[in-house]
Amino acid sequence: MPDVNQMRANAPGFDPRLFLRDEELDYGIALVLAGERALLKEAAEIAQLEAMPQLAARTLIALRFQPGLTVSALREHLGATVPTFARIIGDLGRRRLIERQKSETDGRARVLFLTTEGKRLTDPATIAMRNALRNAYRKAGANAVAGARAVLEALI
């Protein structure tokens, strides 16, 4: 098993000027995960108010920010099993919160979008997430915002 803590000077993208200790990297990972939890707390409120599973609320939030994902891509993104996700998608469709459309690139695939009602339902959470991020950006400053975006974009 490889040693994950070993520095690899010949690794792609290695820059000897960028020296980050494992403790700093671990703290960065913890911060990214805590930030995700803070933002997704708003999705939890949707689930509670609408008496729906957390996965259903996370599905709505994901579609709010990434409309047009295929069913399988969204399922993988959320880490759901096929039967569970099929049940969630079916329930959200019956509630008229999402709509399925045939993919323009693959006729067999279905892409998902929020309906007007789905957008209305996610509006309060979206506004709360925007406010939280806006406040964090203001607190961190303009240079930090650009750096944070660069790091997060490099991760994905």
Side-chain angles (χ1 to χ4, degrees):
M1 178 185 251
D3 181 3
V4 296
N5 295 318
Q6 180 180 356
M7 182 184 293
R8 299 178 192 220
N10 59 352
F14 176 76
D15 183 347
R17 297 170 297 174
L18 183 61
F19 178 76
L20 297 171
R21 296 187 333 256
D22 289 343
E23 296 82 16
E24 293 166 329
L25 295 170
D26 291 350
Y27 183 62
I29 292 167
L31 286 174
V32 168
L33 295 175
E36 177 190 34
R37 283 191 306 276
L39 290 175
L40 288 180
K41 200 174 358 173
E42 302 304 327
E45 289 185 25
I46 292 173
Q48 186 177 14
L49 291 172
E50 295 297 318
M52 65 175 54
Q54 291 289 329
L55 180 58
R58 288 179 47 224
T59 299
L60 293 173
I61 292 297
L63 288 174
R64 176 69 186 238
F65 293 103
Q66 294 180 290
L69 288 174
T70 64
V71 174
S72 59
L74 183 57
R75 181 189 58 76
E76 288 175 20
H77 172 75
L78 295 172
T81 63
V82 172
T84 299
F85 199 63
R87 190 178 72 249
I88 293 291
I89 292 298
D91 182 52
L92 293 174
R94 281 188 294 283
R95 291 182 184 214
R96 299 191 193 303
L97 299 174
I98 63 168
E99 62 182 352
R100 293 176 240 196
Q101 297 175 7
K102 192 180 264 191
S103 171
E104 293 179 9
T105 58
D106 179 358
R108 296 172 297 158
R110 298 289 178 257
V111 291
L112 300 170
F113 295 91
L114 292 180
T115 62
T116 302
E117 182 62 19
K119 289 177 185 172
R120 185 203 58 76
L121 183 66
T122 59
D123 278 347
T126 301
I127 291 167
M129 286 184 210
R130 287 176 182 159
N131 288 337
L133 197 54
R134 182 180 297 114
N135 291 337
Y137 278 166
R138 285 181 177 152
K139 192 174 186 178
N143 291 337
V145 171
R149 284 183 179 166
V151 168
L152 293 173
E153 287 173 353
L155 277 174
I156 57 173

Short mmCIF file of all heavy atoms in Angstrom, two decimals, residues 39 41-43 45-46 49-50 61 64-65 117-132:
data_model
loop_
_atom_site.label_atom_id
_atom_site.label_comp_id
_atom_site.label_asym_id
_atom_site.label_seq_id
_atom_site.Cartn_x
_atom_site.Cartn_y
_atom_site.Cartn_z
N LEU A 39 -23.59 24.73 4.17
CA LEU A 39 -24.48 25.08 3.07
C LEU A 39 -25.63 24.08 2.94
O LEU A 39 -26.77 24.47 2.70
CB LEU A 39 -23.71 25.17 1.76
CG LEU A 39 -22.75 26.36 1.64
CD1 LEU A 39 -21.95 26.27 0.35
CD2 LEU A 39 -23.50 27.68 1.70
N LYS A 41 -27.03 22.46 5.21
CA LYS A 41 -27.96 22.55 6.33
C LYS A 41 -29.29 23.15 5.86
O LYS A 41 -30.35 22.80 6.35
CB LYS A 41 -27.35 23.43 7.43
CG LYS A 41 -27.98 23.22 8.76
CD LYS A 41 -27.33 23.96 9.93
CE LYS A 41 -26.12 24.75 9.64
NZ LYS A 41 -25.65 25.56 10.75
N GLU A 42 -29.21 24.01 4.86
CA GLU A 42 -30.43 24.60 4.31
C GLU A 42 -31.28 23.55 3.60
O GLU A 42 -32.50 23.61 3.64
CB GLU A 42 -30.08 25.74 3.35
CG GLU A 42 -29.27 26.84 3.97
CD GLU A 42 -29.91 27.46 5.21
OE1 GLU A 42 -31.15 27.52 5.27
OE2 GLU A 42 -29.16 27.88 6.11
N ALA A 43 -30.64 22.59 2.96
CA ALA A 43 -31.39 21.50 2.33
C ALA A 43 -32.09 20.66 3.39
O ALA A 43 -33.20 20.16 3.16
CB ALA A 43 -30.46 20.63 1.48
N GLU A 45 -33.42 21.73 6.04
CA GLU A 45 -34.65 22.43 6.43
C GLU A 45 -35.78 22.16 5.43
O GLU A 45 -36.93 22.04 5.82
CB GLU A 45 -34.39 23.92 6.59
CG GLU A 45 -33.54 24.22 7.81
CD GLU A 45 -33.36 25.70 8.06
OE1 GLU A 45 -34.21 26.49 7.64
OE2 GLU A 45 -32.36 26.04 8.71
N ILE A 46 -35.43 22.07 4.14
CA ILE A 46 -36.44 21.73 3.13
C ILE A 46 -37.02 20.35 3.46
O ILE A 46 -38.23 20.16 3.45
CB ILE A 46 -35.84 21.71 1.71
CG1 ILE A 46 -35.45 23.11 1.27
CG2 ILE A 46 -36.84 21.11 0.71
CD1 ILE A 46 -34.70 23.13 -0.06
N LEU A 49 -39.33 20.61 6.54
CA LEU A 49 -40.58 21.32 6.27
C LEU A 49 -41.51 20.55 5.34
O LEU A 49 -42.73 20.61 5.49
CB LEU A 49 -40.28 22.70 5.66
CG LEU A 49 -39.65 23.72 6.59
CD1 LEU A 49 -39.23 24.95 5.80
CD2 LEU A 49 -40.60 24.09 7.72
N GLU A 50 -40.93 19.83 4.39
CA GLU A 50 -41.73 19.13 3.39
C GLU A 50 -41.92 17.64 3.69
O GLU A 50 -42.48 16.92 2.87
CB GLU A 50 -41.09 19.29 2.01
CG GLU A 50 -41.07 20.72 1.51
CD GLU A 50 -42.48 21.27 1.32
OE1 GLU A 50 -43.35 20.55 0.78
OE2 GLU A 50 -42.71 22.42 1.70
N ILE A 61 -31.72 20.51 -4.36
CA ILE A 61 -30.66 21.53 -4.30
C ILE A 61 -29.65 21.30 -5.42
O ILE A 61 -29.22 22.25 -6.09
CB ILE A 61 -29.97 21.54 -2.92
CG1 ILE A 61 -30.94 22.04 -1.85
CG2 ILE A 61 -28.70 22.37 -2.94
CD1 ILE A 61 -31.41 23.47 -2.03
N ARG A 64 -31.08 22.49 -8.56
CA ARG A 64 -31.19 23.96 -8.58
C ARG A 64 -29.91 24.58 -9.14
O ARG A 64 -29.94 25.52 -9.91
CB ARG A 64 -31.46 24.47 -7.15
CG ARG A 64 -31.50 25.97 -7.00
CD ARG A 64 -32.74 26.56 -7.68
NE ARG A 64 -32.74 27.99 -7.67
CZ ARG A 64 -33.70 28.72 -7.13
NH1 ARG A 64 -34.73 28.15 -6.55
NH2 ARG A 64 -33.63 30.03 -7.16
N PHE A 65 -28.77 24.01 -8.74
CA PHE A 65 -27.49 24.58 -9.15
C PHE A 65 -26.88 23.91 -10.36
O PHE A 65 -25.96 24.45 -10.97
CB PHE A 65 -26.52 24.57 -7.96
CG PHE A 65 -26.96 25.49 -6.87
CD1 PHE A 65 -27.55 24.99 -5.72
CD2 PHE A 65 -26.82 26.86 -6.99
CE1 PHE A 65 -27.98 25.84 -4.71
CE2 PHE A 65 -27.24 27.72 -5.99
CZ PHE A 65 -27.83 27.21 -4.86
N GLU A 117 -42.61 24.84 -9.37
CA GLU A 117 -42.86 24.54 -7.96
C GLU A 117 -41.59 24.09 -7.25
O GLU A 117 -41.34 24.46 -6.10
CB GLU A 117 -43.95 23.47 -7.84
CG GLU A 117 -44.32 23.12 -6.42
CD GLU A 117 -44.91 24.29 -5.61
OE1 GLU A 117 -45.36 25.28 -6.20
OE2 GLU A 117 -44.89 24.20 -4.37
N GLY A 118 -40.75 23.32 -7.93
CA GLY A 118 -39.48 22.90 -7.35
C GLY A 118 -38.56 24.09 -7.10
O GLY A 118 -37.88 24.16 -6.07
N LYS A 119 -38.55 25.02 -8.03
CA LYS A 119 -37.75 26.24 -7.84
C LYS A 119 -38.29 27.06 -6.66
O LYS A 119 -37.53 27.56 -5.84
CB LYS A 119 -37.74 27.08 -9.11
CG LYS A 119 -36.92 26.46 -10.22
CD LYS A 119 -37.00 27.28 -11.49
CE LYS A 119 -36.25 26.57 -12.61
NZ LYS A 119 -36.44 27.22 -13.90
N ARG A 120 -39.62 27.18 -6.58
CA ARG A 120 -40.22 27.93 -5.48
C ARG A 120 -39.85 27.30 -4.13
O ARG A 120 -39.52 27.99 -3.18
CB ARG A 120 -41.74 27.97 -5.64
CG ARG A 120 -42.43 28.85 -4.58
CD ARG A 120 -43.88 28.49 -4.36
NE ARG A 120 -44.11 27.12 -3.95
CZ ARG A 120 -43.88 26.64 -2.71
NH1 ARG A 120 -43.39 27.40 -1.78
NH2 ARG A 120 -44.15 25.38 -2.43
N LEU A 121 -39.88 25.98 -4.09
CA LEU A 121 -39.57 25.27 -2.85
C LEU A 121 -38.11 25.47 -2.44
O LEU A 121 -37.81 25.57 -1.25
CB LEU A 121 -39.87 23.78 -3.03
CG LEU A 121 -39.66 22.91 -1.80
CD1 LEU A 121 -40.67 23.27 -0.72
CD2 LEU A 121 -39.82 21.45 -2.19
N THR A 122 -37.22 25.54 -3.41
CA THR A 122 -35.79 25.69 -3.09
C THR A 122 -35.35 27.15 -2.95
O THR A 122 -34.22 27.40 -2.55
CB THR A 122 -34.91 25.00 -4.15
OG1 THR A 122 -35.18 25.59 -5.43
CG2 THR A 122 -35.14 23.50 -4.19
N ASP A 123 -36.23 28.09 -3.26
CA ASP A 123 -35.86 29.51 -3.16
C ASP A 123 -35.32 29.91 -1.79
O ASP A 123 -34.26 30.53 -1.71
CB ASP A 123 -37.04 30.42 -3.54
CG ASP A 123 -37.20 30.59 -5.04
OD1 ASP A 123 -36.26 30.23 -5.79
OD2 ASP A 123 -38.26 31.10 -5.46
N PRO A 124 -36.02 29.61 -0.68
CA PRO A 124 -35.49 30.03 0.62
C PRO A 124 -34.10 29.46 0.93
O PRO A 124 -33.24 30.16 1.45
CB PRO A 124 -36.53 29.52 1.63
CG PRO A 124 -37.79 29.36 0.83
CD PRO A 124 -37.34 28.98 -0.55
N ALA A 125 -33.90 28.19 0.60
CA ALA A 125 -32.58 27.58 0.84
C ALA A 125 -31.51 28.22 -0.04
O ALA A 125 -30.39 28.47 0.40
CB ALA A 125 -32.64 26.07 0.59
N THR A 126 -31.87 28.50 -1.29
CA THR A 126 -30.93 29.13 -2.21
C THR A 126 -30.54 30.51 -1.71
O THR A 126 -29.35 30.87 -1.71
CB THR A 126 -31.54 29.23 -3.62
OG1 THR A 126 -31.85 27.91 -4.06
CG2 THR A 126 -30.59 29.88 -4.60
N ILE A 127 -31.51 31.28 -1.27
CA ILE A 127 -31.23 32.62 -0.75
C ILE A 127 -30.35 32.53 0.50
O ILE A 127 -29.39 33.29 0.64
CB ILE A 127 -32.55 33.37 -0.46
CG1 ILE A 127 -33.25 33.69 -1.79
CG2 ILE A 127 -32.31 34.63 0.36
CD1 ILE A 127 -34.70 34.15 -1.64
N ALA A 128 -30.65 31.59 1.38
CA ALA A 128 -29.85 31.42 2.60
C ALA A 128 -28.41 31.01 2.26
O ALA A 128 -27.45 31.51 2.86
CB ALA A 128 -30.49 30.39 3.52
N MET A 129 -28.24 30.11 1.28
CA MET A 129 -26.90 29.70 0.87
C MET A 129 -26.14 30.87 0.26
O MET A 129 -24.95 31.06 0.54
CB MET A 129 -26.98 28.56 -0.13
CG MET A 129 -27.34 27.24 0.46
SD MET A 129 -27.27 25.97 -0.82
CE MET A 129 -28.48 24.84 -0.24
N ARG A 130 -26.81 31.63 -0.59
CA ARG A 130 -26.16 32.80 -1.19
C ARG A 130 -25.73 33.79 -0.12
O ARG A 130 -24.62 34.33 -0.19
CB ARG A 130 -27.11 33.48 -2.16
CG ARG A 130 -27.32 32.73 -3.45
CD ARG A 130 -28.35 33.43 -4.31
NE ARG A 130 -28.62 32.69 -5.53
CZ ARG A 130 -29.71 32.84 -6.25
NH1 ARG A 130 -30.65 33.70 -5.88
NH2 ARG A 130 -29.89 32.13 -7.35
N ASN A 131 -26.60 34.03 0.85
CA ASN A 131 -26.26 34.96 1.92
C ASN A 131 -25.08 34.47 2.74
O ASN A 131 -24.19 35.25 3.10
CB ASN A 131 -27.47 35.21 2.82
CG ASN A 131 -28.52 36.07 2.15
OD1 ASN A 131 -28.23 36.83 1.22
ND2 ASN A 131 -29.75 35.96 2.62
N ALA A 132 -25.07 33.18 3.05
CA ALA A 132 -23.95 32.61 3.82
C ALA A 132 -22.64 32.75 3.05
O ALA A 132 -21.62 33.15 3.61
CB ALA A 132 -24.23 31.14 4.16
#
